[in-house]
Amino acid sequence: MTLSQFRLDGKIALITGGNRGIGLATAQLFAEAGARCMLSARSETEQSRAMTEAGAHAFHAADITDPAAPDALVAATLATFGKLDILVNNAGVADGGDFHDFDDARLARIMDTNLIAPFRVARAAMRPMLEQGAGSIVNIGSISGHVANKPQLQVAYNASKAAVHQMTTVMAFEYASRGIRVNALAPGYIRTRMAIDGMEDPEISKVWADNTPMGRFGTPEEMAHCALFLASEAASFVTGTTLVADGGYITH
């Protein structure tokens, strides 16, 4: 293996939730590795706009919980770049609270965003990948798909991410013989907008850090490195796995 196996020259990547956090860091790293990216989110941020205004990348506004959005997003990617090689299924939301009080509207929001939408986006992306006989999909799961978190209570969120991991396993089994690799990345506590409130709360932050053997939180850039590995030819014999990047959180 050489470092060239980590290059993405000539590749086109679609990244949902690409306007901030892990999605944006992944887009930035993919660009450094030679890929061109279609970023998608409900709206652009200054950082994502700076990337697209540079000319090599594009942005397509979409609410991926809209059933029509995934097909439109893939169509926009194909219209802009002519092909689709990599999907990073990153968009997601978190919500928590007592299970017995968790109402159907909140449940639907979690499942629609974290499971049903990624299912639809992957389904739409799979079609052009099948036509070209190659592709790589990276679904963003969570350590919450493996454990019960504390101190927060989040049955619905954890269930949605566990489902993403299983979806990844079965997709990989179904499409391995057709040139398409499917893997998942399960981040631990990462310094993103989704987790920042907890990290700024001294009591919650202490619990999270104390339960992470490395004693610190991860960064979006560290998750981007993992996504690059899974998406690139460096992982050419890797499919159906969930790569946990959590500072050791799930070791106990």
Side-chain angles (χ1 to χ4, degrees), residues 173-204:
F173 174 80
E174 185 170 347
Y175 293 100
S177 64
R178 305 179 75 173
I180 299 167
R181 296 185 302 106
V182 187
N183 293 290
L185 171 61
Y189 288 105
I190 310 301
R191 292 189 178 279
T192 65
R193 183 180 180 183
M194 183 180 290
I196 199 65
D197 287 346
M199 291 177 181
E200 292 180 346
D201 182 307
E203 293 184 6
I204 294 175

Side-chain angles (χ1 to χ4, degrees), residues 114-115 118 139-147 157-173 182-188 239-245 250:
N114 292 357
L115 175 61
N139 295 316
I140 305 301
S142 171
I143 56 165
S144 300
H146 293 286
V147 299
Y157 178 80
N158 291 38
S160 72
K161 290 302 186 178
V164 167
H165 297 170
Q166 182 63 6
M167 179 180 78
T168 298
T169 299
V170 180
M171 288 172 62
F173 174 80
V182 187
N183 293 290
L185 171 61
T239 197
T241 193
T242 295
L243 173 59
V244 176
I250 71 168

